Amino acid sequence: MSVQTRVMVDGHWTTRTLDIHQILARNRQEKQEGQQIPLGVKPPIKGLLTRTIVRSPVVKFIIPARVRHRSKNDVIFVYDDYIVIKEIVGGERIEDIPFSDISLNDVAAKKDFDSSIQAARVLGEPRKPKSSRFPGKYWSIPNSPQYPLEVKSEPIDEIEVPPQILVLSTSSRILIFLFAYPDVYGEVHFISTTWPLPAQVSVTEELGVHLAVDPKSRAMAVGACQNRIVIYALKTMEQIRDEVQGSAGLDATRFMPFREEKHAKVDGILLKMEFLHPSKGDENRVILLLIVAKDQKTRLVHFEWDFRSGLHGMEEKPSQMLKPPYNFPRLLIPLTYGTAFALICKQEIVVFRGILTGDATVGQPSVLEVHDTLDGSGSPGNLPAWTQWARPMRPLSNSGLVMDNIYICRADGVVRYIDIREGTKPMVSCSHRAGKLKANLDSAFATLDLGNESNDLLVAGGDMCDGGMWYFAPRQDPHLVGRIRNWTPLGDVALAAQAAAPGAQAMVTLGETERVFACSSRGTQHGAILELRLGTEATRTAPLIDLREMAQKGVVDMWALPDRSNTGIYLMIAHPTDTELILLPASNEEDPRALNDMEELDLDTRTIAAGSTADGMLIQVTPSSVKAISQEHGISPLASKFDPVIITIACFLTIPARSTILLTVTQDQDDFYLHHGHFGIRDSSIAFEELGKPILLRSEASCVSLQWMDDRIIAFVGTLAGTLQYYSAEPGSSFVPYYEYQFDSHMSICDSVAVVTCGEKANTVAGHLVVCGLRDGTVRTLLFDKDASGKLRSSVAGDSLAERAPGNPSLSLYEELSIGNTSVKVTADASRSNRAIIACEQRLYTLAYTGHPPAPDPGVINKIWMTDPVSPSFQSGPMACFTQANAKIPHGFSKFAAGSLFYLTGSTLLIADLTWSSEPDLVPRRLPLSGTPVSIGFSQRLGKLIVTYMASRSEEKGAPKGRSATPAVALIEPDSEFPRFDAAKADKLNLLDTSEVRSGETLLGAVEWLPTDGVNQYHMLLVPTRIAGKTELEATGRLLLYSLKKNDAGATRLELKRYLEREAPVWLVTTYGDSSILYGCGNDLVLQTFDMETRRFESAVKIGLRSPVSQISVHGSRLHVSTRSSGHYVFKIEGNRIVPQCAGASGRPGTRHFVLPDSIVLTTDLESRVAGIWQPSQPQLDRTAPLLFEAFLPSSIRSFCRVTPPSQQRALPGLQSEGVIGTTDDGAVYQLSVLDENSWRLLAFVQNMAMKDPRLCPYPPYLIHERPLEPSMAKKENMHINGDLLVRLLDKGAISLLEEMLSKLPNLDPEMRYTDFATPEQRRKRFNELVEVVFPETTSRDPKTLLDWIRALLLPAL
């Protein structure tokens, strides 16, 4: 509701329409601000900025669907609040392992739903099986246009509706219909439309939990948890295509897939909902089947209608009672013939038929297996649940039999194959165990469409463990061909000091002073300690290669060149005095071999550069010669001598559809010359022809680089004079000097150059960026100056750089990035044209650019982390040298893809493939445990992780089958490796003796304690425990005190010194002062001091709380205590008393906290709430800590920690605290920062504008249009800034979008209209006022200053 009022604006009375809720909120705010807090000062005004730096890896659904184009074989991974389109990619089969080369590559992701996805289905044309080209044989991957895995690289120049559309229902009560399409540059865009679901009648209704689509996509149903469903009559795909075809931009989102809607009541709780296939001859019939429960009874309810007459003819038929043991089925599976359907129950599968003619007839049940239960699940009466089913695509049978082939999976990883045939008795003709996967399974389970007749590829997302892809063949065990990571749940977190490399200095840009470790996953095979690493992953694709003898000679450089005769790789390694050539075969069964007898090359001399041509030449450049050999028979090699001239630097360029160019810098006494020429074959011999005359350089060259841009050859030359020169030449002609760029400092000598493009656009459209690696440890990125046509602007008239005519400079500095303290080497990434690889101080990074010049987005630096699919704890050593395989390597290489990374560390050569993502990915390193981790800490004294966990141990021989959980404590080296998931070996190496643990006793943590008597310091370990009783009230506990000592072999061992018996569980413990401890026992907070003289604990000091303690932290003399259900408390220790100071809001379950400077405390609870409370310096009358801000996140934070933030965040205006991260049970990691009032107001203003822009917030929360632009403090949740929304603003063209939002004219759409600052002049004026307060020294109105500040605020702390 709104009212009109008169307000004065710029000295004139103006009529304004204001929302009544806004006026009331301001009145409440003024009342709150007018209240005075007695005995203290007014609480500060603070805001909270949050950002998701790692999204949850939990996959809800996996749906094979072609939502981009009918030629794209896509698989959609549906997560909690985002989706990812992956593409099935394959090449040639390796040896006898089918599908061994198949992978799921990320194509595009959509992460702007801003709510939880409840259900997902696909509508459109039904999936049709592809016929196999090799019946009865293993399916290989041929290079055929008809093969369904082939990736079409041709761009699509208009929006084309694909065969299928994805339907999502979200917790914000909207239906989302979406598909994707690639533009002319290959970038994938999403087209979506929404439809609001009816308002909820009750809180427990949750409309949208169930979703079903008719097999022929004629209807769709949306179900609530109970009481009602909504049915929609869908349009045909031809009608939808007509609506979308020819539309562009936001107009394409106006399509509507359905034409009719009808509501229906359901009497009870809706368990299952599916559409059935119509009977033969009755194809116009639509049947919707429900399984409804009420009063402990289950019924079959179905609706049917003729789709030609619409939903007004829909009828609800009499229900049928389901009798035991079928009354609570786990799965409902519609069969493809008649109206039959199958129910998967606890131990049986049963088929129902003939539901349209009365009560459905029940077929003969088939018994499912009852063995192989979950570890510790007990008897067959406690079987794990069947969680999902999938139907593989099969060609139609030649015999004419109608049959259903179905896979079903169980929570413990058991997979069964079921064959159901029409007209046979029993109908379930085959039901056997297909295998047991080493993963816990949930609803994310599907079969991939590969056109095979008998062998299948199944993909599953793990439940609290990794998922994967498995190859299934008849009468064979499943074969794992790929992993899908899942690190949930993330529990306790610890920081470990970063071990610096010998002689290395601290990094300037990336904070690596700490490493973050967390408890992860559960169970015998999946429990682990996870190192959280953010960056770019490089996955090992070939066995490790030992180059010990070569590494001992010192490696200067190396090059990877294709061997076209046997699809392998020539690796040329340059030593200080000679060169070695190694052939790396394509097959893993063959060993690498040295080729030191190749006389056509000069292997007795150091190699300066090496390269290859498109027609198979291998070229070597040494200081005195150029050698070239051909891999074709009958071609004579080239041997060109340069005596007495010395070649100092060289590089190559292969021009598409042309020759290969060689650029060299030669030294003749004190002069340096630039030469270039090209290679060719004449009269069956390799020839090299020099082009043009040598160019005299004014200074010695430090690096050279060749590029093909705008149909000309560009040469870059870095000099010791601190300049970068570039020259231009038409193909076949001499170089002409273009421009000389001068770096600004003494050590700014360019040692390497790489050219990248923005957004991987065509060369004539997207500008190029010149990335320079300098000797002072920095990277300078330069922009080209282009004319209106996109060509390089020429500003040189003479033959030398000194004679160029005045004009606009052709290069300008865009940004400077500090990487380290030594020389930086940059190379263009052979697999991504907008990315460069940076090497500095024995580390590798990627530098990627997006956007469009002349204003591209700032570069994003990510560290490259090497991973090993066989050893999850693998950690590569410092880099000695690296190179990349040429992008022109032909397809079909088994382990050498175009752009493969060759990484030499020590004496080991790693071959890996770089992944690509638009944002940094979590690259976890897993240290396996044989059990579920409970807590983790880091000992600075030992340099090890202290882990408590429930270890699984096999029973003794002769004992009953099963496994028992034993409490354990382990000391783990952060850099240790346990190859091949050998958890038992890890325990044997690190397990500490805890034999004193009693039966039924659980270790709840381990805390290092270093008490001192003023002279000696003792190394102790405090372990709180819980001892189970007959009931929870009878549970007791102990506090165990261990000493940490080393035995004769140098291994650390535990020795129990004493223990404290307690009548209630001891939940946790922490240290206080030199010799005191604090612990939570039952509902009490206990303080005890250890008397060093008597070696005894003094009497305990207790204070009762309303619920058990969940966290204790000590900050000076103040204690911060969080409880399980009664909120947060602050105490002060005065002598032998624990004195309450203040408390936060009570009644919040599972509270955790983190104390920040300025007396601010972050608290979180199980309701996904994060709150900031302020601890006054003086006690208040009501002892309630004022609430500063509040935020509701998608998931609840379980642990906090603080890491060293990036240098760009230090001393940022308005940033009060940084580097705080929180981990959650669902695997997400959030970053939290506290803002001052002025910064919060500015960001809130930008955020409120962004929430009204459909490009940034396409699915806005309910009633978001009523939110004013002016930031309001009426509610504490308004103090929350959603950093994910600001990230979208930065990713989608921040400057242009911000200008459009400020200049937007009044919108007549009531959902997008502005309730205040309706005109562009008013918005811009208020925006400038907020900017001036935050940046008082900035006089420019350039929004780039603001956006650079926002970008620095949002930099990930990991």
Side-chain angles (χ1 to χ4, degrees):
M1 188 172 70
S2 60
V3 296
Q4 287 188 342
T5 183
R6 300 277 291 176
V7 296
M8 181 170 286
V9 179
D10 297 332
H12 301 281
W13 288 101
T14 305
T15 301
R16 282 276 186 86
T17 300
L18 296 179
D19 188 79
I20 187 65
H21 301 288
Q22 179 184 352
I23 298 175
L24 294 176
R26 289 181 177 176
N27 290 338
R28 287 193 299 268
Q29 176 182 341
E30 291 174 359
K31 288 183 179 180
Q32 293 175 359
E33 293 177 352
Q35 295 175 355
Q36 294 185 357
I37 299 179
L39 297 179
V41 296
K42 190 175 181 179
I45 298 176
K46 303 292 182 182
L48 179 67
L49 172 65
T50 65
R51 185 204 167 175
T52 307
I53 56 177
V54 176
R55 293 186 178 268
S56 171
V58 178
V59 186
K60 283 189 172 182
F61 310 101
I62 298 177
I63 305 176
R66 298 175 187 263
V67 294
R68 285 186 297 156
H69 193 266
R70 62 181 66 254
S71 65
K72 307 291 185 180
N73 203 358
D74 294 333
V75 181
I76 304 172
F77 279 58
V78 180
Y79 297 84
D80 181 69
D81 58 354
Y82 67 104
I83 65 170
V84 176
I85 298 179
K86 296 176 181 284
E87 187 173 42
I88 309 173
V89 178
E92 294 182 357
R93 188 181 66 193
I94 304 176
E95 307 301 334
D96 295 326
I97 304 176
F99 306 127
S100 55
D101 58 334
I102 293 256
S103 62
L104 288 174
N105 293 354
D106 289 359
V107 174
K110 188 171 179 60
K111 303 178 181 180
D112 54 3
F113 295 108
D114 292 325
S115 57
S116 178
I117 299 172
Q118 294 179 311
R121 287 295 177 99
V122 167
L123 61 86
E125 300 171 7
R127 294 172 60 197
K128 296 180 180 180
K130 299 289 183 179
S131 60
S132 172
R133 292 179 57 196
F134 308 102
K137 296 183 179 181
Y138 287 130
W139 180 255
S140 62
I141 301 177
N143 290 324
S144 168
Q146 289 77 29
Y147 184 60
L149 289 189
E150 184 182 7
V151 180
K152 299 284 187 180
S153 59
E154 293 83 3
I156 300 172
D157 57 0
E158 63 179 10
I159 298 178
E160 179 180 349
V161 178
Q164 294 170 318
I165 295 176
L166 180 66
V167 187
L168 304 174
S169 63
T170 68
S171 58
S172 57
R173 302 200 306 276
I174 59 173
L175 289 176
I176 302 174
F177 304 86
L178 65 86
F179 62 91
Y181 76 97
D183 62 13
V184 293
Y185 305 117
E187 293 187 0
V188 177
H189 302 271
F190 288 92
I191 297 295
S192 67
T193 190
T194 62
W195 184 257
L197 291 172
Q200 292 188 173
V201 177
S202 64
V203 178
T204 59
E205 191 178 69
E206 295 188 41
L207 188 62
V209 171
H210 298 280
L211 194 61
V213 176
D214 176 64
K216 296 186 177 181
S217 293
R218 300 168 297 179
M220 182 182 71
V222 181
C225 288
Q226 58 185 4
N227 299 337
R228 67 167 168 167
I229 60 174
V230 182
I231 303 172
Y232 300 92
L234 299 177
K235 298 177 182 178
T236 64
M237 290 301 295
E238 288 74 15
Q239 291 173 326
I240 296 176
R241 288 191 178 98
D242 290 340
E243 290 185 20
V244 178
Q245 207 70 36
S247 302
L250 293 177
D251 292 335
T253 67
R254 306 301 182 187
F255 75 95
M256 188 50 60
F258 54 84
R259 52 186 171 85
E260 196 176 354
E261 174 182 345
K262 187 171 184 178
H263 296 230
K265 290 186 178 180
V266 176
D267 186 18
I269 299 174
L270 183 57
L271 300 181
K272 303 290 179 183
M273 180 175 70
E274 290 286 355
F275 282 91
L276 301 182
H277 289 258
S279 301
K280 188 175 182 180
D282 192 18
E283 285 79 7
N284 295 325
R285 183 71 52 187
V286 182
I287 309 106
L288 175 64
L289 178 66
L290 314 178
I291 300 180
V292 182
K294 184 179 182 181
D295 299 330
Q296 301 296 317
K297 296 180 181 179
T298 310
R299 296 174 293 119
L300 292 176
V301 180
H302 78 278
F303 299 83
E304 60 176 275
W305 67 96
D306 191 314
F307 88 97
R308 294 171 298 181
S309 60
L311 294 179
H312 68 274
M314 184 180 71
E315 297 180 357
E316 180 181 356
K317 298 299 181 178
S319 62
Q320 175 182 350
M321 197 69 66
L322 283 176
K323 299 179 181 179
Y326 318 126
N327 52 337
F328 288 101
R330 301 293 196 268
L331 300 172
L332 166 61
I333 305 175
L335 302 181
T336 56
Y337 56 87
T339 56
F341 59 93
L343 297 183
I344 307 297
C345 304
K346 195 172 186 178
Q347 299 181 29
E348 299 89 9
I349 174 174
V350 62
V351 176
F352 287 71
R353 298 184 60 186
I355 196 171
L356 295 184
T357 59
D359 286 352
T361 58
V362 183
Q364 180 180 349
S366 177
V367 178
L368 300 175
E369 63 182 329
V370 296
H371 53 79
D372 285 336
T373 64
L374 281 169
D375 295 336
S377 63
S379 64
N382 192 25
L383 288 173
W386 299 100
T387 58
Q388 189 57 284
W389 64 277
R391 178 181 283 117
M393 291 290 98
R394 294 274 192 261
L396 294 177
S397 173
N398 295 329
S399 63
L401 288 176
V402 180
M403 58 183 178
D404 281 279
N405 307 118
I406 296 168
Y407 284 100
I408 61 174
C409 67
R410 207 168 64 180
D412 59 347
V414 171
V415 177
R416 288 191 69 82
Y417 179 79
I418 300 172
D419 188 351
I420 304 175
R421 304 192 180 191
E422 183 184 24
T424 61
K425 293 185 179 180
M427 296 181 65
V428 182
S429 61
C430 175
S431 174
H432 67 270
R433 176 177 137 165
K436 183 173 182 181
L437 311 181
K438 293 182 178 179
N440 304 326
L441 304 181
D442 203 346
S443 57
F445 179 77
T447 59
L448 302 186
D449 185 8
L450 298 178
N452 202 309
E453 293 184 353
S454 58
N455 307 323
D456 297 301
L457 196 65
L458 272 66
V459 58
D463 181 17
M464 293 188 292
C465 65
D466 286 348
M469 291 189 297
W470 287 270
Y471 165 73
F472 278 75
R475 295 171 296 280
Q476 294 183 18
D477 291 332
H479 178 74
L480 179 67
V481 296
R483 286 193 173 273
I484 299 172
R485 286 202 182 105
N486 185 350
W487 49 83
T488 59
L490 284 181
D492 203 14
V493 176
L495 297 182
Q498 170 71 40
Q505 301 183 30
M507 295 294 292
V508 178
T509 303
L510 300 178
E512 294 185 283
T513 55
E514 307 98 357
R515 297 162 65 184
V516 183
F517 292 86
C519 299
S520 174
S521 303
R522 294 178 181 175
T524 304
Q525 300 179 358
H526 311 300
I529 298 300
L530 211 68
E531 182 177 3
L532 305 181
R533 308 181 303 186
L534 211 62
T536 300
E537 182 178 8
T539 305
R540 183 179 67 81
T541 58
L544 301 177
I545 301 174
D546 188 3
L547 300 179
R548 183 174 294 106
E549 294 182 1
M550 300 179 186
Q552 290 175 352
K553 299 167 61 176
V555 177
V556 178
D557 208 342
M558 61 183 182
W559 301 266
L561 311 172
D563 170 24
R564 299 181 180 274
S565 60
N566 68 349
T567 64
I569 285 288
Y570 287 114
L571 189 66
M572 188 172 291
I573 301 176
H575 300 296
T577 58
D578 61 358
T579 302
E580 294 193 69
L581 186 66
I582 304 173
L583 176 62
L584 306 178
S587 173
N588 292 335
E589 297 181 357
E590 300 181 41
D591 295 328
R593 63 180 185 270
L595 304 176
N596 296 326
D597 56 348
M598 189 171 289
E599 299 179 354
E600 296 87 350
L601 300 176
D602 188 359
L603 301 180
D604 295 328
T605 309
R606 176 176 64 90
T607 299
I608 293 176
S612 61
T613 65
D615 52 4
M617 292 186 197
L618 300 182
I619 307 170
Q620 178 198 19
V621 180
T622 70
S624 58
S625 65
V626 175
K627 299 292 185 73
I629 61 174
S630 175
Q631 299 183 56
E632 302 290 338
H633 293 291
I635 304 298
S636 301
L638 168 71
S640 178
K641 290 291 185 178
F642 276 72
D643 293 334
V645 176
I646 299 175
I647 302 176
T648 60
I649 304 174
C651 66
F652 296 91
L653 171 66
T654 298
I655 304 176
R658 298 174 186 264
S659 59
T660 296
I661 306 298
L662 171 64
L663 178 70
T664 60
V665 175
T666 62
Q667 180 179 2
D668 187 359
Q669 296 182 358
D670 294 333
D671 295 328
F672 295 89
Y673 295 89
L674 187 68
H675 305 254
H676 84 290
H678 65 87
F679 293 88
I681 297 178
R682 296 178 182 175
D683 300 329
S684 299
S685 298
I686 300 175
F688 176 74
E689 179 184 358
E690 190 161 350
L691 302 174
K693 297 180 180 180
I695 299 176
L696 176 65
L697 301 178
R698 292 182 296 165
S699 178
E700 181 179 353
S702 56
C703 65
V704 292
S705 176
L706 280 176
Q707 304 294 330
W708 174 254
M709 296 186 301
D710 293 338
D711 298 327
R712 70 179 77 181
I713 304 170
I714 302 295
F716 294 94
V717 180
T719 71
L720 295 183
T723 63
L724 178 68
Q725 304 171 356
Y726 78 82
Y727 302 78
S728 174
E730 298 291 337
S733 62
S734 301
F735 274 119
V736 175
Y738 241 68
Y739 184 69
E740 183 174 47
Y741 180 84
Q742 179 69 53
F743 295 103
D744 55 3
S745 62
H746 174 68
M747 289 297 294
S748 298
I749 298 173
C750 184
D751 281 338
S752 55
V753 177
V755 175
V756 300
T757 61
C758 285
E760 299 196 90
K761 298 289 194 297
N763 286 347
T764 57
V765 176
H768 298 82
L769 300 176
V770 182
V771 183
C772 304
L774 272 59
R775 196 165 294 182
D776 61 0
T778 63
V779 169
R780 311 281 180 91
T781 300
L782 309 178
L783 279 175
F784 281 105
D785 184 27
K786 292 195 171 187
D787 58 24
S789 64
K791 298 292 185 179
L792 291 175
R793 189 187 302 278
S794 175
S795 57
V796 178
D799 293 333
S800 68
L801 293 169
E803 299 175 356
R804 74 177 183 87
N808 295 327
S810 294
L811 283 176
S812 59
L813 179 65
Y814 175 64
E815 69 175 349
E816 177 180 344
L817 302 170
S818 183
I819 306 297
N821 299 289
T822 60
S823 180
V824 179
K825 176 184 177 181
V826 297
T827 60
D829 186 357
S831 61
R832 289 281 170 176
S833 64
N834 69 326
R835 188 168 68 177
I837 299 178
I838 299 174
C840 182
E841 297 181 352
Q842 300 181 316
R843 297 183 179 95
L844 281 184
Y845 305 88
T846 59
L847 173 61
Y849 284 94
T850 57
H852 309 283
D857 297 333
V860 178
I861 297 180
N862 288 316
K863 185 174 180 180
I864 295 177
W865 300 99
M866 299 289 175
T867 61
D868 190 332
V870 176
S871 177
S873 57
F874 173 78
Q875 184 168 244
S876 62
M879 179 208 64
C881 190
F882 85 97
T883 188
Q884 256 190 312
N886 194 309
K888 302 302 180 184
I889 290 181
H891 295 289
F893 280 64
S894 58
K895 59 185 178 182
F896 306 123
S900 290
L901 189 67
F902 293 76
Y903 179 96
L904 182 64
T905 172
S907 60
T908 303
L909 179 67
L910 292 166
I911 303 174
D913 281 348
L914 282 173
T915 60
W916 166 253
S917 177
S918 58
E919 57 188 25
D921 290 326
L922 182 67
V923 187
R925 177 172 164 261
R926 185 182 293 265
L927 303 176
L929 298 171
S930 62
T932 301
V934 176
S935 72
I936 184 174
F938 181 72
S939 171
Q940 293 284 353
R941 189 162 182 168
L942 298 175
K944 296 182 179 181
L945 299 168
I946 304 175
V947 180
T948 59
Y949 66 104
M950 297 300 295
S952 299
R953 293 286 180 267
S954 299
E955 298 288 350
E956 298 295 333
K957 186 176 181 180
K961 292 184 179 180
R963 302 182 72 88
S964 62
T966 304
V969 178
L971 296 180
I972 299 178
E973 295 277 359
D975 294 326
S976 59
E977 287 189 30
F978 307 122
R980 298 185 182 277
F981 305 90
D982 195 352
K985 181 178 179 181
D987 287 347
K988 186 175 180 181
L989 291 174
N990 302 301
L991 195 63
L992 300 181
D993 182 19
T994 54
S995 56
E996 298 84 358
V997 176
R998 297 175 183 175
S999 176
E1001 189 169 22
T1002 304
L1003 307 185
L1004 302 179
V1007 176
E1008 199 176 24
W1009 188 31
L1010 302 173
T1012 178
D1013 57 7
V1015 178
N1016 300 315
Q1017 191 179 57
Y1018 304 91
H1019 197 188
M1020 308 290 291
L1021 197 66
L1022 304 174
V1023 180
T1025 74
R1026 175 188 177 274
I1027 303 175
K1030 294 182 179 180
T1031 65
E1032 183 63 30
L1033 296 177
E1034 296 179 6
T1036 60
R1038 293 194 299 169
L1039 183 59
L1040 309 179
L1041 281 78
Y1042 289 95
S1043 66
L1044 290 167
K1045 295 183 179 180
K1046 292 188 177 181
N1047 57 22
D1048 296 337
T1052 303
R1053 64 183 181 88
L1054 288 180
E1055 180 180 343
L1056 182 63
K1057 288 298 184 180
R1058 65 180 68 241
Y1059 58 86
L1060 302 178
E1061 293 273 6
R1062 291 295 177 258
E1063 296 180 354
V1066 180
W1067 302 112
L1068 54 89
V1069 63
T1070 189
T1071 62
Y1072 178 77
D1074 292 335
S1075 57
S1076 298
I1077 58 174
L1078 284 158
Y1079 57 92
C1081 180
N1083 288 358
D1084 295 333
L1085 175 65
V1086 183
L1087 170 67
Q1088 281 196 271
T1089 301
F1090 188 74
D1091 192 328
M1092 301 300 296
E1093 294 183 0
T1094 62
R1095 295 294 194 268
R1096 293 181 179 276
F1097 277 101
E1098 298 177 357
S1099 299
V1101 179
K1102 299 182 180 180
I1103 185 170
L1105 304 173
R1106 296 179 181 178
S1107 61
V1109 173
S1110 58
Q1111 184 183 356
I1112 304 173
S1113 62
V1114 179
H1115 297 269
S1117 61
R1118 295 182 182 268
L1119 312 177
H1120 290 264
V1121 180
S1122 292
T1123 61
R1124 293 186 182 179
S1125 61
S1126 55
H1128 181 81
Y1129 298 91
V1130 180
F1131 300 96
K1132 186 176 182 180
I1133 296 180
E1134 296 179 353
N1136 292 327
R1137 295 190 306 150
I1138 303 177
V1139 181
Q1141 298 294 296
C1142 61
S1146 61
R1148 293 182 176 176
T1151 306
R1152 308 282 289 185
H1153 70 265
F1154 188 82
V1155 181
L1156 297 172
D1158 300 330
S1159 302
I1160 299 175
V1161 183
L1162 293 177
T1163 64
T1164 183
D1165 55 40
L1166 296 180
E1167 296 176 350
S1168 303
R1169 179 192 291 109
V1170 175
I1173 61 175
W1174 181 63
Q1175 174 191 331
S1177 57
Q1178 299 295 330
Q1180 308 300 298
L1181 290 180
D1182 58 357
R1183 296 189 182 278
T1184 300
L1187 182 64
L1188 301 180
F1189 48 75
E1190 198 170 36
F1192 291 89
L1193 302 178
S1195 52
S1196 177
I1197 292 179
R1198 182 170 176 177
S1199 294
F1200 286 108
C1201 70
R1202 188 171 187 174
V1203 299
T1204 302
S1207 59
Q1208 295 94 322
Q1209 288 185 351
R1210 298 167 194 168
L1212 272 181
L1215 189 60
Q1216 300 292 300
S1217 66
E1218 68 285 334
V1220 179
I1221 63 173
T1223 60
T1224 66
D1225 279 336
D1226 68 355
V1229 181
Y1230 298 102
Q1231 182 168 309
L1232 304 97
S1233 304
V1234 176
L1235 306 169
D1236 65 13
E1237 179 183 1
N1238 296 330
S1239 300
W1240 165 77
R1241 288 188 181 277
L1242 174 57
L1243 292 178
F1245 191 86
V1246 175
Q1247 175 182 254
N1248 292 341
M1249 286 194 299
M1251 293 179 73
K1252 294 178 179 292
D1253 193 306
R1255 293 165 295 183
L1256 300 176
C1257 196
Y1259 319 107
Y1262 185 63
L1263 295 179
I1264 192 61
H1265 59 277
E1266 296 184 358
R1267 188 168 185 169
L1269 296 184
E1270 180 64 30
S1272 170
M1273 295 186 290
K1275 297 180 180 179
K1276 293 305 178 183
E1277 54 261 37
N1278 293 347
M1279 308 301 293
H1280 173 223
I1281 302 298
N1282 183 5
D1284 294 340
L1285 183 56
L1286 299 180
V1287 170
R1288 287 179 222 159
L1289 173 65
L1290 297 175
D1291 290 343
K1292 295 186 178 183
I1295 294 180
S1296 59
L1297 274 176
L1298 184 59
E1299 287 292 339
E1300 288 182 30
M1301 289 188 295
L1302 291 171
S1303 305
K1304 187 177 181 181
L1305 295 174
N1307 197 331
L1308 299 179
D1309 187 348
E1311 294 190 357
M1312 291 298 155
R1313 65 180 176 86
Y1314 293 125
T1315 58
D1316 57 351
F1317 305 107
T1319 66
E1321 295 77 15
Q1322 294 171 348
R1323 285 197 301 277
R1324 189 172 293 275
K1325 179 181 178 181
R1326 181 57 178 152
F1327 174 76
N1328 290 336
E1329 291 173 355
L1330 295 173
V1331 171
E1332 289 173 2
V1333 175
V1334 178
F1335 306 102
E1337 71 284 353
T1338 303
T1339 58
S1340 173
R1341 295 294 183 266
D1342 184 5
K1344 187 176 184 302
T1345 302
L1346 168 65
L1347 297 174
D1348 289 344
W1349 173 68
I1350 295 177
R1351 188 172 282 106
L1353 286 174
L1354 297 173
L1355 281 176
L1358 280 179

